[in-house]
Amino acid sequence: MQLTVRYFAGARAAAGRAEETAPAGRSLDELLDELTGRHGERLAMVLKAASFLVDGVACHDRQAPLPAGATVDVLPPFAGG
């Protein structure tokens, strides 16, 4: 069972891709540990400041299991004016 991780802006640059898949059933914190292991410290720094959506809804429980088929959006802080 898989889920999709989509990266935006600086997260995309740090991961070197727009999206990828990962196993479902783990928590967001466990997923972020895996992604850091895959992509290194540059992505880890972005993940520390990022917000996360699970199927379009802000993720407030980082320990809840992520369901199969879910989409996790990684949204780094955006600059704007």
Side-chain angles (χ1 to χ4, degrees), residues 9 17 20 28 30 32-33 52 59 61 65-66 71 74 76 78:
R17 64 190 70 219
E20 64 184 309
L28 180 61
E30 292 168 327
L32 299 182
D33 287 343
F52 305 94
C59 182
D61 183 358
L66 296 167
T71 298
V74 180
F78 292 95

Side-chain angles (χ1 to χ4, degrees), residues 2 4 7 9 14-15 20 23 28-30 35 42 48 60 64 79:
Q2 298 285 308
T4 301
Y7 299 103
E20 64 184 309
L28 180 61
D29 283 339
E30 292 168 327
L35 297 176
R42 184 172 175 208
K48 287 179 185 176
H60 297 292

Side-chain angles (χ1 to χ4, degrees), residues 2-22:
Q2 298 285 308
L3 57 83
T4 301
V5 180
R6 297 190 305 183
Y7 299 103
F8 294 87
R12 179 182 295 173
R17 64 190 70 219
E19 72 177 47
E20 64 184 309
T21 60

Side-chain angles (χ1 to χ4, degrees), residues 7 10-11 13-14 17 21 25 31 34 36 41 45 47-48 51 53 57 65-66 68 75-76 78 80:
Y7 299 103
R17 64 190 70 219
T21 60
L31 174 63
E34 178 184 329
T36 296
E41 188 60 30
M45 296 301 293
L47 295 176
K48 287 179 185 176
S51 298
L53 302 179
V57 178
L66 296 167
L75 306 170
F78 292 95

